Amino acid sequence: MTNKYYEFFCPVKVIAGKAALEHIPYELTGLAAKRPMIITDKGVRAAGLLDPVIAACEESGLEIVSIYDDVPPDSSTTVVRDIAAVYRKEKCDSIIAVGGGSAIDTGKAVNILVSEGGDDIARYTGAGVLKHPLKPFFVVPTTAGTGSEVTSVAVITDEKKGVKLPFTSSFLLPNAAIIDPRMTLTLPPHITAATGMDALTHAVEAFTCMAKNPLSDAYATAAIKKISQSLLAVMDNPKDQDGRLELAQASTMAGIAFSNSMVGLVHSLGHATGAICHLPHGLCMSLYLPYVLEFNLESIRESLGELLLYLEGPEVYSATPASRRAEASISAIRKLRDALHKRCELPRTLKETGKVLETQLEAIARQALDDGSIMFNPREVTLEDALSVLRRAWA
Amino acid sequence: MLLKRLQPMMFQARRNYVELMFQVMGRALQAISDVDEPTREEVRALPEGFLFEMQVMPNGPKLIVEHTGDGKLHFHGDTAPRPVDLSIQFKHMAHAFLVLSFQEKTSVAFANDRMLVDGDVSYAVRMTRVLNRLESFILPKLVAQRAVKEYPADIHLPEKLMSSARIYLKVATQFVETVRA
């Protein structure tokens, strides 16, 4: 009898494609919500990305009661408390988060406060604290990378204590994720590249780490195929709506995959690098992915070899001997990074970022060892192992 | 039919085994923090007075250890002197038995959602490393390889024999002291 066991859960309704935003009023009405609040950041508003969301709602007679557009890149407990106060004052009954990871996490945290009560979000930190469904919550991602629209986690900084508070509950999952190509059409090239690599890393780690399972595998491979086929096309033609939609869908699919099978050492190193050197998350993923795959190679040879089909297509896959497919998959990822570097100078090494000192590598390695995602890496990682990956990624 | 009649006895035996293993592990955690410097190095990162618990949900057997300072751990049995800081909880006795009988590695149990972490995940990762090191010392290599993700390359036979003998001696001494008390 097999010893294998897995769990898979994703109740988020995905509303994707042309004119997807126009489905928001109908979907909100279906949840008896009439007074939505939008949570977003100044960049999203300045880019005019709120306009189609508001227009879609107004045309159906649904008034956006309040807009909070001051979510910072690292959202805090104070911001969450302030937004919850506005929500209550304006008698809102639902939340639409429009933006990237920070706006979405903030939306999740605000939903906890306005549904459970109180002003202290720290009371709800940890796993399994929430016991009831929250208010109607929709997410409109404006980047194609984080996958936050389908994850049950939020991270908010407690600025007084200087710590990051994690919140984990299936009740944090939005009722619907609205994937509309208009929302990512104006993403600058370097953000398109970094977030694309973020989504690719989610999918590759979901497929190669310890909690992989048949359902998340299906989402991961589909995501990898879409990213391989569309990322460079979109870099060459940023107004390619079909390509943008493919990337946005891939990001959501990769999010579903990794939220059900977790990630590994790339994320451990990326989280540590982000905390110490303040590099964007997507860039960190791009920097470490090939080196971590090389480190894990002998433990993931078979699964990594399978990914060649989705990275390079059937011709290359069938022409590559089975024993060389894993290495060829790593080469394909390196080739993609080189192509992105050529198009937008997305750094390929820590040195190229210009923001990391060689003397910081040990601190990054030490912090990575305590990151939760390291538990799911297929190989045990010692300090020396982490350092050797970092040295390879240095230059 | 016979199997159904035997089932309550099997459940009780499984529960007794898990309880016994928690008793041994708790004492062994205290012992390894006495004899192994790398373990103390790991534990030093935890705040002094930090209480760690492993438990079977909902009210099953548990072990509680405290970091008393300088990397030393103290086994509290199954009663915590105050609310614990970190709890690793098996969802069911069957899952605890799988791990404690070395049929499923701790890391695989985490990946399979057999366990929940309540508390700071970074401390849970650290305590898992301590548990892995303990298992690598006190179990024969062939068994330890079934319990940990990778058997540590830096543990060689002479060191393993010496350390495991000292850990077992301390565990036995603690058991005797408990019985006398």
Side-chain angles (χ1 to χ4, degrees), chain A residues 85-107:
Chain A
V86 175
Y87 179 101
R88 288 172 184 137
K89 189 177 159 216
E90 300 289 344
K91 295 188 170 49
C92 300
D93 61 8
S94 51
I95 295 170
I96 306 172
V98 184
S102 183
I104 297 171
D105 278 12
T106 304

mmCIF file with all atom_site columns, all heavy atoms in Angstrom, chain A residues 85-107:
data_model
loop_
_atom_site.group_PDB
_atom_site.id
_atom_site.type_symbol
_atom_site.label_atom_id
_atom_site.label_alt_id
_atom_site.label_comp_id
_atom_site.label_asym_id
_atom_site.label_entity_id
_atom_site.label_seq_id
_atom_site.pdbx_PDB_ins_code
_atom_site.Cartn_x
_atom_site.Cartn_y
_atom_site.Cartn_z
_atom_site.occupancy
_atom_site.B_iso_or_equiv
_atom_site.pdbx_formal_charge
_atom_site.auth_seq_id
_atom_site.auth_comp_id
_atom_site.auth_asym_id
_atom_site.auth_atom_id
_atom_site.pdbx_PDB_model_num
ATOM 1   N N   . ALA A 1 85  ? -11.215 50.966 10.513 1.00 0.00 ? 85  ALA A N   1
ATOM 2   C CA  . ALA A 1 85  ? -12.023 52.062 11.082 1.00 0.00 ? 85  ALA A CA  1
ATOM 3   C C   . ALA A 1 85  ? -12.817 52.748 9.973  1.00 0.00 ? 85  ALA A C   1
ATOM 4   O O   . ALA A 1 85  ? -14.011 53.070 10.154 1.00 0.00 ? 85  ALA A O   1
ATOM 5   C CB  . ALA A 1 85  ? -11.106 53.052 11.790 1.00 0.00 ? 85  ALA A CB  1
ATOM 6   N N   . VAL A 1 86  ? -12.175 52.982 8.828  1.00 0.00 ? 86  VAL A N   1
ATOM 7   C CA  . VAL A 1 86  ? -12.880 53.615 7.696  1.00 0.00 ? 86  VAL A CA  1
ATOM 8   C C   . VAL A 1 86  ? -14.023 52.706 7.232  1.00 0.00 ? 86  VAL A C   1
ATOM 9   O O   . VAL A 1 86  ? -15.149 53.160 6.992  1.00 0.00 ? 86  VAL A O   1
ATOM 10  C CB  . VAL A 1 86  ? -11.891 53.883 6.522  1.00 0.00 ? 86  VAL A CB  1
ATOM 11  C CG1 . VAL A 1 86  ? -12.646 54.424 5.311  1.00 0.00 ? 86  VAL A CG1 1
ATOM 12  C CG2 . VAL A 1 86  ? -10.791 54.843 6.951  1.00 0.00 ? 86  VAL A CG2 1
ATOM 13  N N   . TYR A 1 87  ? -13.742 51.421 7.128  1.00 0.00 ? 87  TYR A N   1
ATOM 14  C CA  . TYR A 1 87  ? -14.743 50.432 6.689  1.00 0.00 ? 87  TYR A CA  1
ATOM 15  C C   . TYR A 1 87  ? -15.990 50.517 7.585  1.00 0.00 ? 87  TYR A C   1
ATOM 16  O O   . TYR A 1 87  ? -17.116 50.542 7.107  1.00 0.00 ? 87  TYR A O   1
ATOM 17  C CB  . TYR A 1 87  ? -14.114 49.040 6.760  1.00 0.00 ? 87  TYR A CB  1
ATOM 18  C CG  . TYR A 1 87  ? -15.008 47.887 6.355  1.00 0.00 ? 87  TYR A CG  1
ATOM 19  C CD1 . TYR A 1 87  ? -14.889 47.311 5.094  1.00 0.00 ? 87  TYR A CD1 1
ATOM 20  C CD2 . TYR A 1 87  ? -15.944 47.349 7.233  1.00 0.00 ? 87  TYR A CD2 1
ATOM 21  C CE1 . TYR A 1 87  ? -15.692 46.232 4.714  1.00 0.00 ? 87  TYR A CE1 1
ATOM 22  C CE2 . TYR A 1 87  ? -16.748 46.288 6.877  1.00 0.00 ? 87  TYR A CE2 1
ATOM 23  C CZ  . TYR A 1 87  ? -16.615 45.728 5.619  1.00 0.00 ? 87  TYR A CZ  1
ATOM 24  O OH  . TYR A 1 87  ? -17.412 44.656 5.261  1.00 0.00 ? 87  TYR A OH  1
ATOM 25  N N   . ARG A 1 88  ? -15.742 50.558 8.898  1.00 0.00 ? 88  ARG A N   1
ATOM 26  C CA  . ARG A 1 88  ? -16.882 50.589 9.835  1.00 0.00 ? 88  ARG A CA  1
ATOM 27  C C   . ARG A 1 88  ? -17.638 51.916 9.739  1.00 0.00 ? 88  ARG A C   1
ATOM 28  O O   . ARG A 1 88  ? -18.864 51.939 9.741  1.00 0.00 ? 88  ARG A O   1
ATOM 29  C CB  . ARG A 1 88  ? -16.377 50.376 11.260 1.00 0.00 ? 88  ARG A CB  1
ATOM 30  C CG  . ARG A 1 88  ? -15.927 48.938 11.501 1.00 0.00 ? 88  ARG A CG  1
ATOM 31  C CD  . ARG A 1 88  ? -15.262 48.795 12.852 1.00 0.00 ? 88  ARG A CD  1
ATOM 32  N NE  . ARG A 1 88  ? -14.744 47.441 13.039 1.00 0.00 ? 88  ARG A NE  1
ATOM 33  C CZ  . ARG A 1 88  ? -13.557 47.170 13.553 1.00 0.00 ? 88  ARG A CZ  1
ATOM 34  N NH1 . ARG A 1 88  ? -12.753 48.141 13.946 1.00 0.00 ? 88  ARG A NH1 1
ATOM 35  N NH2 . ARG A 1 88  ? -13.172 45.928 13.697 1.00 0.00 ? 88  ARG A NH2 1
ATOM 36  N N   . LYS A 1 89  ? -16.848 53.012 9.653  1.00 0.00 ? 89  LYS A N   1
ATOM 37  C CA  . LYS A 1 89  ? -17.472 54.334 9.602  1.00 0.00 ? 89  LYS A CA  1
ATOM 38  C C   . LYS A 1 89  ? -18.372 54.462 8.370  1.00 0.00 ? 89  LYS A C   1
ATOM 39  O O   . LYS A 1 89  ? -19.455 55.030 8.457  1.00 0.00 ? 89  LYS A O   1
ATOM 40  C CB  . LYS A 1 89  ? -16.358 55.397 9.560  1.00 0.00 ? 89  LYS A CB  1
ATOM 41  C CG  . LYS A 1 89  ? -16.844 56.813 9.712  1.00 0.00 ? 89  LYS A CG  1
ATOM 42  C CD  . LYS A 1 89  ? -15.684 57.798 9.725  1.00 0.00 ? 89  LYS A CD  1
ATOM 43  C CE  . LYS A 1 89  ? -16.190 59.181 9.361  1.00 0.00 ? 89  LYS A CE  1
ATOM 44  N NZ  . LYS A 1 89  ? -15.243 59.933 8.579  1.00 0.00 ? 89  LYS A NZ  1
ATOM 45  N N   . GLU A 1 90  ? -17.890 53.937 7.268  1.00 0.00 ? 90  GLU A N   1
ATOM 46  C CA  . GLU A 1 90  ? -18.641 54.060 6.015  1.00 0.00 ? 90  GLU A CA  1
ATOM 47  C C   . GLU A 1 90  ? -19.685 52.953 5.843  1.00 0.00 ? 90  GLU A C   1
ATOM 48  O O   . GLU A 1 90  ? -20.343 52.856 4.811  1.00 0.00 ? 90  GLU A O   1
ATOM 49  C CB  . GLU A 1 90  ? -17.663 54.008 4.816  1.00 0.00 ? 90  GLU A CB  1
ATOM 50  C CG  . GLU A 1 90  ? -16.624 55.114 4.805  1.00 0.00 ? 90  GLU A CG  1
ATOM 51  C CD  . GLU A 1 90  ? -17.220 56.484 4.492  1.00 0.00 ? 90  GLU A CD  1
ATOM 52  O OE1 . GLU A 1 90  ? -18.363 56.536 3.997  1.00 0.00 ? 90  GLU A OE1 1
ATOM 53  O OE2 . GLU A 1 90  ? -16.559 57.494 4.772  1.00 0.00 ? 90  GLU A OE2 1
ATOM 54  N N   . LYS A 1 91  ? -19.773 52.095 6.854  1.00 0.00 ? 91  LYS A N   1
ATOM 55  C CA  . LYS A 1 91  ? -20.753 50.990 6.822  1.00 0.00 ? 91  LYS A CA  1
ATOM 56  C C   . LYS A 1 91  ? -20.612 50.124 5.556  1.00 0.00 ? 91  LYS A C   1
ATOM 57  O O   . LYS A 1 91  ? -21.606 49.807 4.879  1.00 0.00 ? 91  LYS A O   1
ATOM 58  C CB  . LYS A 1 91  ? -22.178 51.524 6.953  1.00 0.00 ? 91  LYS A CB  1
ATOM 59  C CG  . LYS A 1 91  ? -22.445 52.174 8.311  1.00 0.00 ? 91  LYS A CG  1
ATOM 60  C CD  . LYS A 1 91  ? -23.913 52.506 8.477  1.00 0.00 ? 91  LYS A CD  1
ATOM 61  C CE  . LYS A 1 91  ? -24.263 52.935 9.884  1.00 0.00 ? 91  LYS A CE  1
ATOM 62  N NZ  . LYS A 1 91  ? -23.397 53.976 10.476 1.00 0.00 ? 91  LYS A NZ  1
ATOM 63  N N   . CYS A 1 92  ? -19.372 49.800 5.235  1.00 0.00 ? 92  CYS A N   1
ATOM 64  C CA  . CYS A 1 92  ? -19.124 48.926 4.083  1.00 0.00 ? 92  CYS A CA  1
ATOM 65  C C   . CYS A 1 92  ? -19.540 47.499 4.442  1.00 0.00 ? 92  CYS A C   1
ATOM 66  O O   . CYS A 1 92  ? -19.683 47.154 5.624  1.00 0.00 ? 92  CYS A O   1
ATOM 67  C CB  . CYS A 1 92  ? -17.646 48.961 3.695  1.00 0.00 ? 92  CYS A CB  1
ATOM 68  S SG  . CYS A 1 92  ? -17.080 50.613 3.256  1.00 0.00 ? 92  CYS A SG  1
ATOM 69  N N   . ASP A 1 93  ? -19.706 46.668 3.424  1.00 0.00 ? 93  ASP A N   1
ATOM 70  C CA  . ASP A 1 93  ? -20.083 45.274 3.714  1.00 0.00 ? 93  ASP A CA  1
ATOM 71  C C   . ASP A 1 93  ? -19.237 44.264 2.937  1.00 0.00 ? 93  ASP A C   1
ATOM 72  O O   . ASP A 1 93  ? -19.508 43.064 2.973  1.00 0.00 ? 93  ASP A O   1
ATOM 73  C CB  . ASP A 1 93  ? -21.574 45.048 3.443  1.00 0.00 ? 93  ASP A CB  1
ATOM 74  C CG  . ASP A 1 93  ? -21.950 45.300 1.991  1.00 0.00 ? 93  ASP A CG  1
ATOM 75  O OD1 . ASP A 1 93  ? -21.026 45.511 1.160  1.00 0.00 ? 93  ASP A OD1 1
ATOM 76  O OD2 . ASP A 1 93  ? -23.156 45.282 1.669  1.00 0.00 ? 93  ASP A OD2 1
ATOM 77  N N   . SER A 1 94  ? -18.224 44.755 2.232  1.00 0.00 ? 94  SER A N   1
ATOM 78  C CA  . SER A 1 94  ? -17.378 43.837 1.457  1.00 0.00 ? 94  SER A CA  1
ATOM 79  C C   . SER A 1 94  ? -16.082 44.566 1.076  1.00 0.00 ? 94  SER A C   1
ATOM 80  O O   . SER A 1 94  ? -16.014 45.797 1.170  1.00 0.00 ? 94  SER A O   1
ATOM 81  C CB  . SER A 1 94  ? -18.105 43.372 0.198  1.00 0.00 ? 94  SER A CB  1
ATOM 82  O OG  . SER A 1 94  ? -18.610 44.492 -0.498 1.00 0.00 ? 94  SER A OG  1
ATOM 83  N N   . ILE A 1 95  ? -15.077 43.778 0.660  1.00 0.00 ? 95  ILE A N   1
ATOM 84  C CA  . ILE A 1 95  ? -13.765 44.361 0.341  1.00 0.00 ? 95  ILE A CA  1
ATOM 85  C C   . ILE A 1 95  ? -13.333 43.896 -1.047 1.00 0.00 ? 95  ILE A C   1
ATOM 86  O O   . ILE A 1 95  ? -13.465 42.710 -1.386 1.00 0.00 ? 95  ILE A O   1
ATOM 87  C CB  . ILE A 1 95  ? -12.714 43.913 1.383  1.00 0.00 ? 95  ILE A CB  1
ATOM 88  C CG1 . ILE A 1 95  ? -13.056 44.478 2.771  1.00 0.00 ? 95  ILE A CG1 1
ATOM 89  C CG2 . ILE A 1 95  ? -11.305 44.348 0.963  1.00 0.00 ? 95  ILE A CG2 1
ATOM 90  C CD1 . ILE A 1 95  ? -12.213 43.887 3.891  1.00 0.00 ? 95  ILE A CD1 1
ATOM 91  N N   . ILE A 1 96  ? -12.793 44.849 -1.813 1.00 0.00 ? 96  ILE A N   1
ATOM 92  C CA  . ILE A 1 96  ? -12.142 44.500 -3.083 1.00 0.00 ? 96  ILE A CA  1
ATOM 93  C C   . ILE A 1 96  ? -10.692 44.977 -2.971 1.00 0.00 ? 96  ILE A C   1
ATOM 94  O O   . ILE A 1 96  ? -10.444 46.182 -2.886 1.00 0.00 ? 96  ILE A O   1
ATOM 95  C CB  . ILE A 1 96  ? -12.816 45.181 -4.295 1.00 0.00 ? 96  ILE A CB  1
ATOM 96  C CG1 . ILE A 1 96  ? -14.320 44.879 -4.327 1.00 0.00 ? 96  ILE A CG1 1
ATOM 97  C CG2 . ILE A 1 96  ? -12.147 44.744 -5.586 1.00 0.00 ? 96  ILE A CG2 1
ATOM 98  C CD1 . ILE A 1 96  ? -15.074 45.690 -5.398 1.00 0.00 ? 96  ILE A CD1 1
ATOM 99  N N   . ALA A 1 97  ? -9.755  44.057 -2.924 1.00 0.00 ? 97  ALA A N   1
ATOM 100 C CA  . ALA A 1 97  ? -8.333  44.431 -2.894 1.00 0.00 ? 97  ALA A CA  1
ATOM 101 C C   . ALA A 1 97  ? -7.843  44.490 -4.337 1.00 0.00 ? 97  ALA A C   1
ATOM 102 O O   . ALA A 1 97  ? -7.998  43.520 -5.087 1.00 0.00 ? 97  ALA A O   1
ATOM 103 C CB  . ALA A 1 97  ? -7.533  43.426 -2.093 1.00 0.00 ? 97  ALA A CB  1
ATOM 104 N N   . VAL A 1 98  ? -7.253  45.625 -4.701 1.00 0.00 ? 98  VAL A N   1
ATOM 105 C CA  . VAL A 1 98  ? -6.735  45.797 -6.060 1.00 0.00 ? 98  VAL A CA  1
ATOM 106 C C   . VAL A 1 98  ? -5.245  46.114 -5.938 1.00 0.00 ? 98  VAL A C   1
ATOM 107 O O   . VAL A 1 98  ? -4.876  47.147 -5.377 1.00 0.00 ? 98  VAL A O   1
ATOM 108 C CB  . VAL A 1 98  ? -7.451  46.958 -6.793 1.00 0.00 ? 98  VAL A CB  1
ATOM 109 C CG1 . VAL A 1 98  ? -6.958  47.065 -8.240 1.00 0.00 ? 98  VAL A CG1 1
ATOM 110 C CG2 . VAL A 1 98  ? -8.958  46.776 -6.759 1.00 0.00 ? 98  VAL A CG2 1
ATOM 111 N N   . GLY A 1 99  ? -4.387  45.226 -6.411 1.00 0.00 ? 99  GLY A N   1
ATOM 112 C CA  . GLY A 1 99  ? -2.958  45.517 -6.313 1.00 0.00 ? 99  GLY A CA  1
ATOM 113 C C   . GLY A 1 99  ? -2.116  44.264 -6.296 1.00 0.00 ? 99  GLY A C   1
ATOM 114 O O   . GLY A 1 99  ? -2.535  43.190 -6.746 1.00 0.00 ? 99  GLY A O   1
ATOM 115 N N   . GLY A 1 100 ? -0.903  44.411 -5.731 1.00 0.00 ? 100 GLY A N   1
ATOM 116 C CA  . GLY A 1 100 ? 0.024   43.294 -5.612 1.00 0.00 ? 100 GLY A CA  1
ATOM 117 C C   . GLY A 1 100 ? -0.084  42.661 -4.239 1.00 0.00 ? 100 GLY A C   1
ATOM 118 O O   . GLY A 1 100 ? -1.106  42.801 -3.541 1.00 0.00 ? 100 GLY A O   1
ATOM 119 N N   . GLY A 1 101 ? 0.975   41.998 -3.818 1.00 0.00 ? 101 GLY A N   1
ATOM 120 C CA  . GLY A 1 101 ? 0.962   41.229 -2.573 1.00 0.00 ? 101 GLY A CA  1
ATOM 121 C C   . GLY A 1 101 ? 0.582   42.044 -1.354 1.00 0.00 ? 101 GLY A C   1
ATOM 122 O O   . GLY A 1 101 ? -0.200  41.586 -0.518 1.00 0.00 ? 101 GLY A O   1
ATOM 123 N N   . SER A 1 102 ? 1.086   43.280 -1.254 1.00 0.00 ? 102 SER A N   1
ATOM 124 C CA  . SER A 1 102 ? 0.839   44.066 -0.048 1.00 0.00 ? 102 SER A CA  1
ATOM 125 C C   . SER A 1 102 ? -0.628  44.464 0.078  1.00 0.00 ? 102 SER A C   1
ATOM 126 O O   . SER A 1 102 ? -1.229  44.326 1.150  1.00 0.00 ? 102 SER A O   1
ATOM 127 C CB  . SER A 1 102 ? 1.732   45.313 -0.054 1.00 0.00 ? 102 SER A CB  1
ATOM 128 O OG  . SER A 1 102 ? 1.544   46.022 1.139  1.00 0.00 ? 102 SER A OG  1
ATOM 129 N N   . ALA A 1 103 ? -1.209  44.961 -1.014 1.00 0.00 ? 103 ALA A N   1
ATOM 130 C CA  . ALA A 1 103 ? -2.625  45.366 -0.973 1.00 0.00 ? 103 ALA A CA  1
ATOM 131 C C   . ALA A 1 103 ? -3.507  44.147 -0.673 1.00 0.00 ? 103 ALA A C   1
ATOM 132 O O   . ALA A 1 103 ? -4.480  44.242 0.093  1.00 0.00 ? 103 ALA A O   1
ATOM 133 C CB  . ALA A 1 103 ? -3.029  45.998 -2.300 1.00 0.00 ? 103 ALA A CB  1
ATOM 134 N N   . ILE A 1 104 ? -3.151  43.014 -1.248 1.00 0.00 ? 104 ILE A N   1
ATOM 135 C CA  . ILE A 1 104 ? -3.976  41.814 -1.047 1.00 0.00 ? 104 ILE A CA  1
ATOM 136 C C   . ILE A 1 104 ? -3.862  41.325 0.401  1.00 0.00 ? 104 ILE A C   1
ATOM 137 O O   . ILE A 1 104 ? -4.863  41.017 1.049  1.00 0.00 ? 104 ILE A O   1
ATOM 138 C CB  . ILE A 1 104 ? -3.570  40.708 -2.050 1.00 0.00 ? 104 ILE A CB  1
ATOM 139 C CG1 . ILE A 1 104 ? -3.841  41.172 -3.489 1.00 0.00 ? 104 ILE A CG1 1
ATOM 140 C CG2 . ILE A 1 104 ? -4.336  39.417 -1.772 1.00 0.00 ? 104 ILE A CG2 1
ATOM 141 C CD1 . ILE A 1 104 ? -3.289  40.265 -4.576 1.00 0.00 ? 104 ILE A CD1 1
ATOM 142 N N   . ASP A 1 105 ? -2.635  41.283 0.924  1.00 0.00 ? 105 ASP A N   1
ATOM 143 C CA  . ASP A 1 105 ? -2.458  40.873 2.323  1.00 0.00 ? 105 ASP A CA  1
ATOM 144 C C   . ASP A 1 105 ? -3.176  41.836 3.266  1.00 0.00 ? 105 ASP A C   1
ATOM 145 O O   . ASP A 1 105 ? -3.775  41.416 4.263  1.00 0.00 ? 105 ASP A O   1
ATOM 146 C CB  . ASP A 1 105 ? -0.962  40.820 2.677  1.00 0.00 ? 105 ASP A CB  1
ATOM 147 C CG  . ASP A 1 105 ? -0.326  39.516 2.223  1.00 0.00 ? 105 ASP A CG  1
ATOM 148 O OD1 . ASP A 1 105 ? -0.980  38.782 1.461  1.00 0.00 ? 105 ASP A OD1 1
ATOM 149 O OD2 . ASP A 1 105 ? 0.826   39.230 2.627  1.00 0.00 ? 105 ASP A OD2 1
ATOM 150 N N   . THR A 1 106 ? -3.101  43.131 2.947  1.00 0.00 ? 106 THR A N   1
ATOM 151 C CA  . THR A 1 106 ? -3.790  44.119 3.779  1.00 0.00 ? 106 THR A CA  1
ATOM 152 C C   . THR A 1 106 ? -5.300  43.874 3.740  1.00 0.00 ? 106 THR A C   1
ATOM 153 O O   . THR A 1 106 ? -5.968  43.905 4.780  1.00 0.00 ? 106 THR A O   1
ATOM 154 C CB  . THR A 1 106 ? -3.475  45.547 3.282  1.00 0.00 ? 106 THR A CB  1
ATOM 155 O OG1 . THR A 1 106 ? -2.066  45.711 3.265  1.00 0.00 ? 106 THR A OG1 1
ATOM 156 C CG2 . THR A 1 106 ? -4.095  46.596 4.183  1.00 0.00 ? 106 THR A CG2 1
ATOM 157 N N   . GLY A 1 107 ? -5.815  43.593 2.554  1.00 0.00 ? 107 GLY A N   1
ATOM 158 C CA  . GLY A 1 107 ? -7.241  43.292 2.426  1.00 0.00 ? 107 GLY A CA  1
ATOM 159 C C   . GLY A 1 107 ? -7.643  42.098 3.287  1.00 0.00 ? 107 GLY A C   1
ATOM 160 O O   . GLY A 1 107 ? -8.667  42.117 3.963  1.00 0.00 ? 107 GLY A O   1
#
